[in-house]
Amino acid sequence: MHLNKLKDFRLEKLDDLTIAELQKEMEDGVLTSEELVLMFLENISERDQDINSIIEVNPEALNIAQALDIERKISGPRSALHGIPILLKDNIGTADKMHTSAGSYALKDFYAMEDAGVAAKLRKAGAVLLGKTHMTEWADIMSDEMPDNYCSRSGHIKHPFGDYDIGGSSSGSAAAIALSLAQASIGTETSGSIINPADENSLVGIKPTLGLTTRSGIIPLAPSQDVAGPIAKNVADAALVLSAIVGWDTADEISVGAKFFESYDWLAHLKKDGLQGVRLAVPRHLFEEQITANELELFNEALDVIRSLGAELIDPVDLGVAEEEAGDEVQFFEFKPSINEYLGKSHPANPIRSLDDLIAFHNRHPDQMLRYGQDKLEKSNATSGRLNEPEYVEALKRKRLLAGERAIESTLDKLGASAIVLPKDFGGGIGATAGMPLITVPYRFEDENGPFGITFMGRAFSDPTLIEFAYAFEQATNGRVKPPFGSKDGQE
């Protein structure tokens, strides 16, 4: 493509095209993967300087794209993601020239010895791994004082839309897609870390059922809740990326539940009438005291849209559990043994081989590492690391029963409902604790607090059904808004 046409394509079309539309452009010979990578790199150079969502660009991205273009000509595309640039959160290991640091300066020189399972699946599908994104340091188990938008490796990230809460811990994975720095990204969630920043950036975020995607090769926080999932501009793109990373991984036993979905037709669930005849529950007690009047009005408007699309709403319902009961005690117990295992098996050249080593490094470099303290790390390190404390076992049992059986499954069964609908990322803690799927969809922009979306939450492995609901709502509302890209965008 001629340089002027490439510039026009980037400024006039790139922000809004879907993966399917980009594939059509490449199949028709209008566009190549190499040109697509170049355009996203130019967006990064122009749009991200004041935002800081990208922590590192893959130096091999252009060569990978060139090779995929040649492969397309010889044997055709591998999948619907062939040649599509995707970003990864900085805790997802890649066996290449990119670092994997969980946002920590202590691991700024750390290379993973092998691809994380989700990275390997994306490569197999022909995606271009374009770079790593900013994240809340150690997925927010560093300090109670640390804001969502900070990590010691790259500093603060700003909200693309202005003076709003960026969300965490997958903040960079969301902000980068809002700015159109890649076509989609992968975030990770332990409790709200995909849904929250996706909502804050007017994007679609899918937190899959625990076990639908593999956790292998991802720097852990709490394995009983950790999961990777896509962040994208629209439901169709999110579903396509999810379909590429779903599947059984022998390195992660919990992913056996994904065997059923390995050759599953996810796109069959992109139904404009996906809300027709369904019953949805609205647990207002989870959000009414915390939401603003304007946000409540927007949510009620969204519910009217859902009704108009043929859904029946059971409003209100009581789940029998409060959001704060989800808590985070389990994370403190699980982080120590899981991070010790991860670091202990890392490359022998890595000097940080345990949580003890990490805390000691922080203490030796307080100006760089302890800007906000490390009380959460110290609290985790004070546990035995053996996961045999009565407090841990009780918390795990109580929360799984409270959030899963009582709050979600029992309520839905009793009401004959298919899912729960909520404003923004409310309910994320309960869903995460129970290992249940959630998907958030943009709805409007609200001046006081920025982008505003709604979230659907369902039973385990009801992810395809949630995609139906989200797609129907998205098609009826077209609620995504784009941030201002700045005065430098498109200038020579």
Side-chain angles (χ1 to χ4, degrees):
M1 189 184 294
H2 189 276
L3 284 178
N4 286 337
K5 288 186 178 180
L6 199 66
K7 177 181 175 181
D8 291 343
F9 190 102
R10 180 176 67 88
L11 294 178
E12 297 172 9
K13 299 176 68 175
L14 186 60
D15 295 334
D16 298 310
L17 291 181
T18 65
I19 290 175
E21 290 168 336
L22 289 173
Q23 286 294 347
K24 180 70 164 53
E25 298 281 302
M26 289 190 281
E27 286 298 306
D28 290 346
V30 176
L31 178 68
T32 66
S33 177
E34 179 185 4
E35 290 169 334
L36 192 52
V37 168
L38 282 170
M39 286 189 286
F40 281 125
L41 288 176
E42 192 157 9
N43 275 357
I44 290 171
S45 71
E46 292 183 354
R47 298 177 179 180
D48 199 43
Q49 296 305 305
D50 297 327
I51 302 298
N52 198 29
S53 68
I54 305 296
I55 204 166
E56 185 170 358
V57 167
N58 186 352
E60 299 177 308
L62 273 178
N63 289 339
I64 293 169
Q66 290 168 347
L68 289 166
D69 285 331
I70 295 171
E71 182 180 328
R72 182 188 292 271
K73 291 179 180 179
I74 294 172
S75 57
R78 300 183 196 178
S79 79
L81 290 187
H82 191 104
I84 301 296
I86 305 290
L87 291 164
L88 303 176
K89 189 175 178 179
D90 187 41
N91 58 352
I92 299 174
T94 51
D96 52 21
K97 295 181 180 179
M98 290 188 288
H99 301 90
T100 304
S101 72
S104 174
Y105 182 82
L107 294 187
K108 66 180 178 62
D109 299 319
F110 175 72
Y111 292 98
M113 291 192 292
E114 59 184 14
D115 276 343
V118 293
K121 287 178 180 295
L122 287 169
R123 287 195 205 273
K124 184 178 179 181
V128 179
L129 304 186
L130 186 60
K132 298 287 183 77
T133 59
H134 182 287
M135 60 179 284
T136 314
E137 188 165 348
W138 292 109
D140 201 23
I141 198 167
M142 179 77 176
S143 163
D144 276 321
E145 301 301 319
M146 181 176 287
D148 286 343
N149 69 350
Y150 181 79
C151 71
S152 62
R153 185 174 170 204
S154 63
H156 290 90
I157 180 175
K158 293 182 181 178
H159 199 301
F161 289 85
D163 189 19
Y164 303 110
D165 180 11
I166 184 65
S169 63
S170 304
S171 49
S173 293
I177 305 309
L179 292 167
S180 196
L181 309 185
Q183 189 63 24
S185 67
I186 304 297
T188 66
E189 175 160 333
T190 305
S191 183
S193 295
I194 292 173
I195 299 301
N196 172 234
D199 169 73
E200 294 291 349
N201 286 274
S202 194
L203 298 168
V204 175
I206 300 179
K207 181 266 178 188
T209 300
L210 179 68
L212 191 64
T213 60
T214 175
R215 304 163 299 179
S216 69
I218 298 175
I219 296 178
L221 173 52
S224 69
Q225 295 180 202
D226 291 346
V227 65
I231 297 175
K233 301 170 190 173
N234 56 76
V235 176
D237 281 6
L240 267 176
V241 176
L242 179 64
S243 70
I245 62 174
V246 162
W248 182 42
D249 180 359
T250 56
D252 183 8
E253 62 283 349
I254 194 66
S255 66
V256 67
K259 276 188 173 183
F260 174 80
F261 294 96
E262 287 183 334
S263 57
Y264 192 78
D265 185 4
W266 290 88
L267 299 190
H269 293 275
L270 302 179
K271 300 178 179 180
K272 288 187 177 181
D273 62 351
L275 283 164
Q276 182 68 44
V278 306
R279 303 187 85 197
L280 301 174
V282 184
R284 290 184 179 267
H285 68 98
L286 293 183
F287 60 84
E288 276 193 318
E289 293 185 2
Q290 301 175 59
I291 200 169
T292 69
N294 287 342
E295 289 172 331
L296 183 59
E297 183 177 351
L298 285 177
F299 180 61
N300 289 331
E301 287 178 8
L303 294 183
D304 288 338
V305 173
I306 291 171
R307 288 189 189 93
S308 74
L309 294 171
E312 176 189 353
L313 296 179
I314 309 162
D315 181 11
V317 301
D318 190 338
L319 299 183
V321 61
E323 185 87 72
E324 58 268 19
E325 290 182 75
D328 57 8
E329 301 101 306
V330 167
Q331 298 177 28
F332 290 109
F333 286 102
E334 293 187 1
F335 180 69
K336 181 176 180 177
S338 58
I339 197 61
N340 282 348
E341 178 188 17
Y342 180 90
L343 294 173
K345 292 180 178 179
S346 65
H347 194 283
N350 175 33
I352 309 294
R353 312 203 64 79
S354 68
L355 185 52
D356 280 334
D357 290 344
L358 181 64
I359 290 172
F361 179 90
H362 293 168
N363 289 332
R364 291 194 303 271
H365 303 86
D367 291 344
Q368 180 73 39
M369 304 306 304
L370 297 180
R371 182 172 181 176
Y372 297 101
Q374 57 179 340
D375 58 291
K376 285 186 175 181
L377 288 184
E378 291 168 344
K379 180 177 177 179
S380 178
N381 205 34
T383 66
S384 71
R386 297 188 296 272
L387 299 180
N388 63 351
E389 289 95 336
E391 299 88 347
Y392 166 69
V393 176
E394 177 61 26
L396 190 66
K397 178 180 67 175
R398 178 173 54 84
K399 289 173 184 175
R400 283 304 178 112
L401 290 173
L402 277 176
E405 291 187 18
R406 184 196 298 178
I408 299 174
E409 293 178 359
S410 176
T411 299
L412 294 177
D413 288 345
K414 181 174 62 178
L415 298 173
S418 298
I420 291 164
V421 60
L422 293 150
K424 296 183 70 64
D425 62 328
F426 287 98
I430 292 173
T433 299
M436 304 302 188
L438 301 98
I439 179 168
T440 190
V441 190
Y443 178 55
R444 289 287 185 269
F445 185 88
E446 196 262 325
D447 288 340
E448 183 181 357
N449 292 304
F452 177 91
I454 68 160
T455 294
F456 297 95
M457 175 168 60
R459 298 177 178 85
F461 299 106
S462 67
D463 309 59
T465 305
L466 298 188
I467 286 173
E468 289 189 9
F469 302 161
Y471 184 78
F473 181 80
E474 174 194 62
Q475 295 302 298
T477 58
N478 191 29
R480 175 185 166 231
V481 293
K482 292 181 286 187
F485 293 133
S487 59
K488 292 189 293 183
D489 195 36
Q491 293 184 2
E492 297 291 346

